């Protein structure tokens, strides 16, 4: 009988998906930074190395991050809106991931000036 090697990593069935919007306008190509297990808002001044993960919204302003650990996490997003001034927009939100109650989150992430 053939033996299969044990996996070195078991993928989590968790996911965070967001659609990034500013004044009901989709914001494509926004960067969404994630700080895992954070009790308080990390602020907008942190550099990219401070965060535990990053993902981008696509041309449709939607983006997802898979295999998210359980816990309370902060999402901090930065984008560009050519229709409003100032053009640089940002926003944040807190999300909870639980394997038993809420393994997947799919929501709107509103950003502003």
């Amino acid at each position: 009988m053939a033996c299969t090697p044990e996996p070195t990593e078991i993928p989590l069935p968790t996911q965070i998906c967001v659609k990034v919007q500013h004044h009901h306008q989709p914001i494509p190509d926004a960067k969404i930074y994630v700080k895992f297990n954070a009790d308080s808002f990390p602020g907008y001044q942190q550099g990219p190395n401070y965060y535990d993960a990053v993902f981008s919204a696509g041309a449709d302003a939607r983006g997802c991050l898979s295999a998210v650990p359980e816990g309370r996490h902060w999402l901090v997003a930065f984008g560009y809106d050519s229709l409003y001034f100032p053009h640089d927009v940002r926003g944040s939100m807190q999300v909870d991931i639980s394997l038993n109650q809420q393994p997947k989150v799919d929501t709107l992430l509103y950003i502003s000036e």
Side-chain angles (χ1 to χ4, degrees):
M1 286 192 218
C3 294
T4 58
E6 290 186 28
T8 57
E9 207 173 278
I10 298 173
L12 292 171
T14 55
Q15 186 177 53
I16 297 172
C17 291
V18 295
K19 181 174 182 181
V20 183
Q21 286 190 195
H22 178 238
H23 296 296
H24 303 288
Q25 176 70 27
I27 303 297
D29 305 318
K31 288 273 193 195
I32 302 101
Y33 296 91
V34 185
K35 185 65 178 170
F36 296 140
N37 298 309
D39 293 345
S40 59
F41 171 58
Y44 294 113
Q45 292 76 30
Q46 302 293 345
N49 292 336
Y50 173 80
Y51 295 96
D52 300 306
V54 63
F55 63 103
S56 296
D60 61 353
R62 285 188 49 79
C64 294
L65 178 67
S66 296
V68 179
E70 284 189 286
R72 178 166 284 169
H73 314 306
W74 273 96
L75 307 181
V76 178
F78 297 92
Y80 182 85
D81 188 347
S82 62
L83 298 179
Y84 293 93
F85 186 82
H87 299 298
D88 293 323
V89 288
R90 63 188 185 184
S92 62
M93 71 181 302
Q94 196 174 49
V95 296
D96 290 311
I97 297 293
S98 167
L99 286 171
N100 295 333
Q101 296 175 346
Q102 190 171 13
K104 296 185 179 188
V105 171
D106 193 346
T107 188
L108 291 173
L109 174 53
Y110 288 104
I111 57 180
S112 62
E113 297 82 19

